[in-house]
Amino acid sequence: MAWDLPIAAVSGISADAGCAMNFRSDQRGISLDMMLVPKKERYFSVQNFLRTGRFVNLNQMCLLYNKRLNFDAFQKSEILTDFAATSCETGEPVYLSDHGDKKRLYQSLMASCALPIVCPSIEIDDAHYVDGSIADPIPFSHLLDLGCNKVIVVLTGSLGCHPTNYRKLKPLLWQCYSEKYPKLYHAILHRIERYQNEVHQMQQAVAEKRVFVLRPETTSISLFTKQPDKIQAYYKHGEQLVQKKQAEIQAFLDAPIIETLVTYQKIENPLLSALHY
């Protein structure tokens, strides 16, 4: 955000988990810098696949973040920060945090970003995790469950943008997960239904003045685009959008909540939720 807001917590998910980390350390521009790394440092590429068998190299991603992140500033911040991941054992969301440890911070970041099939699962304390957007694609209800009364949901996809439908890869999913992680296999196959359910609940929360949705008003770019001009233009659009919506966001924060009889489904202070799908 380009101006001070009373942010108590931030929950990052999937490819934008890094945005939550950078927000807490108060380092604007790192996300853009990570997308514009030189070709030889790029953590997503065909070269990575040929060298390691994985299109996305999460270890390389964390090495790049480690060169840029001010960990002392991150630690000194009082903003509660966690990263949503999907448990391979249960197929349910888990919200990971650093517990003051840099290694665990990057493990949590990798767990939230570990795309099924494309990346190996990440092991933390004898449990295994993949991409958080499988089990909780828009974790606004998690933030409300923490006791917060207002949530700003930041989406990186424009209206009409939908998450990847992994059903198209069902034979490969079966091979990778059906025997070892059957609950994860089921969760991946049903991620679209879960996403649609969360969108419906989010719309109800918007009507109640509990949630404000901030999303691009231009055509989305590909997650793994390598075109600097498109990346910079999209980033600039985000900065301009925040300025454009500043009065609306402040009005939302000041508005009273409209109480209803709706109970939000729990999926197992104002807040900012940094998301990607």
Side-chain angles (χ1 to χ4, degrees):
M1 289 295 179
W3 83 101
D4 291 334
L5 287 174
I7 302 298
V10 54
S11 185
I13 186 168
S14 194
D16 282 340
C19 295
M21 185 172 64
N22 307 333
F23 184 86
R24 174 167 162 169
S25 66
D26 195 24
Q27 292 176 274
R28 295 182 62 192
I30 288 185
S31 296
L32 177 62
D33 191 36
M34 287 289 292
M35 296 181 72
L36 294 174
V37 292
K39 184 176 181 179
K40 63 179 181 180
E41 296 183 54
R42 200 171 287 156
Y43 59 91
F44 55 93
S45 66
V46 174
Q47 287 73 24
N48 275 332
F49 179 79
L50 295 175
R51 187 171 60 252
T52 67
R54 300 287 181 176
F55 179 73
V56 179
N57 186 335
L58 295 178
N59 288 312
Q60 173 67 6
M61 178 190 74
C62 287
L63 286 174
L64 292 172
Y65 268 119
N66 192 47
K67 291 179 181 179
R68 294 161 172 78
L69 179 70
N70 184 337
F71 188 70
D72 289 338
F74 179 89
Q75 287 298 102
K76 289 177 181 178
S77 173
E78 296 182 356
I79 298 175
L80 176 66
T81 307
D82 61 29
F83 308 93
T86 301
S87 167
C88 294
E89 286 78 14
T90 68
E92 294 299 320
V94 177
Y95 306 97
L96 304 169
S97 57
D98 63 285
H99 300 307
D101 181 76
K102 183 185 286 190
K103 179 180 178 181
R104 190 179 180 93
L105 171 64
Y106 290 128
Q107 286 179 323
S108 301
L109 181 65
M110 289 195 293
S112 186
C113 296
L115 297 170
I117 300 174
V118 175
C119 301
S121 62
I122 302 301
E123 182 177 350
I124 303 175
D125 297 335
D126 299 321
H128 302 83
Y129 304 97
V130 295
D131 184 0
S133 69
I134 298 299
D136 193 359
I138 313 176
F140 77 93
S141 60
H142 160 63
L143 298 175
L144 292 173
D145 287 341
L146 291 177
C148 307
N149 58 352
K150 298 273 186 173
V151 179
I152 300 172
V153 174
V154 180
L155 302 176
T156 57
S158 56
L159 191 64
C161 182
H162 299 289
T164 301
N165 186 350
Y166 283 99
R167 283 184 176 273
K168 296 179 289 185
L169 302 174
K170 190 173 181 179
L172 192 53
L173 289 171
W174 174 267
Q175 182 179 354
C176 292
Y177 303 119
S178 63
E179 184 174 344
K180 188 174 183 179
Y181 300 124
K183 293 182 179 179
L184 173 63
Y185 172 71
H186 183 271
I188 295 173
L189 288 182
H190 293 277
R191 78 172 306 208
I192 299 299
E193 295 96 312
R194 191 183 295 244
Y195 169 76
Q196 292 171 339
N197 180 55
E198 288 199 4
V199 168
H200 176 74
Q201 293 186 34
M202 183 177 70
Q203 290 170 340
Q204 178 63 38
V206 169
E208 295 174 348
K209 307 297 183 185
R210 296 180 188 273
V211 165
F212 184 93
V213 179
L214 190 64
R215 72 186 315 160
E217 295 180 349
T218 187
T219 304
S220 299
I221 63 173
S222 168
L223 173 59
F224 294 115
T225 185
K226 300 175 184 177
Q227 302 179 50
D229 55 338
K230 287 189 176 182
I231 294 170
Q232 291 171 327
Y234 205 57
Y235 188 88
K236 185 66 175 179
H237 170 73
E239 291 183 317
Q240 293 172 340
L241 185 63
V242 170
Q243 292 300 318
K244 175 183 174 182
K245 298 287 186 178
Q246 182 170 346
E248 289 183 52
I249 293 172
Q250 192 61 57
F252 158 75
L253 294 174
D254 294 339
I257 294 171
I258 301 173
E259 298 292 345
T260 71
L261 297 179
V262 173
T263 300
Y264 296 102
Q265 177 185 357
K266 184 176 181 180
I267 304 183
E268 291 209 84
N269 304 211
L271 300 169
L272 174 73
S273 178
L275 309 170
H276 181 83
Y277 55 84

